[in-house]
Amino acid sequence: MTSYYAGLISETVACIYLRLHGFRILRRRYTTGHHTGRAEIDIIARRKNLLVFIEVKYRPNIATGLNAIPPSQAMRLRRAAETYITQTHWMNDARFDMIVITPCTIKWIRGAI
């Protein structure tokens, strides 16, 4: 299986996991456009007045997953999230989480970025 398909499967697992925790999935693979200097946000979900941007990583262990977002990517992800908030006129709480999926576990890191 290629890393592309492993990523798709991991995102689907993360969506199911979020739904089980009461979130509604608003968007998957959100991007503000090509060549804009912004990153793709894997999942945008909402529960009540909380909007959550989620980056999903599939790694062999939790430790490598936690170090998988370099500062430059984090900055691009923040800018993409700001664009989404501006476009949708979101006026409530928002945060950026990370879900690391390993062959045996799912680790949800709230406020990761």
Side-chain angles (χ1 to χ4, degrees), residues 11 27-44 53-57 68-84 87 96 113:
E11 288 174 20
R27 299 282 301 263
R28 285 184 69 178
R29 301 189 148 234
Y30 170 79
T31 183
T32 57
H34 299 290
H35 312 295
T36 61
R38 301 185 196 278
E40 176 186 276
I41 298 173
D42 294 331
I43 301 169
I44 301 173
F53 301 94
I54 298 113
E55 180 69 12
V56 179
K57 296 292 184 186
I69 301 177
S72 59
Q73 183 185 5
M75 182 61 75
R76 288 193 314 272
L77 289 167
R78 276 191 216 104
R79 285 194 304 247
E82 290 167 0
T83 299
Y84 182 85
Q87 288 175 346
F96 219 113
I113 298 177

Side-chain angles (χ1 to χ4, degrees), residues 5-15 28 43 56-58 101:
Y5 289 113
L8 286 178
I9 291 167
S10 298
E11 288 174 20
T12 301
V13 169
C15 284
R28 285 184 69 178
I43 301 169
V56 179
K57 296 292 184 186
Y58 178 79
I101 298 177

Side-chain angles (χ1 to χ4, degrees), residues 102-113:
T102 70
C104 300
T105 61
I106 297 175
K107 177 76 173 171
W108 184 3
I109 300 98
R110 292 163 180 86
I113 298 177

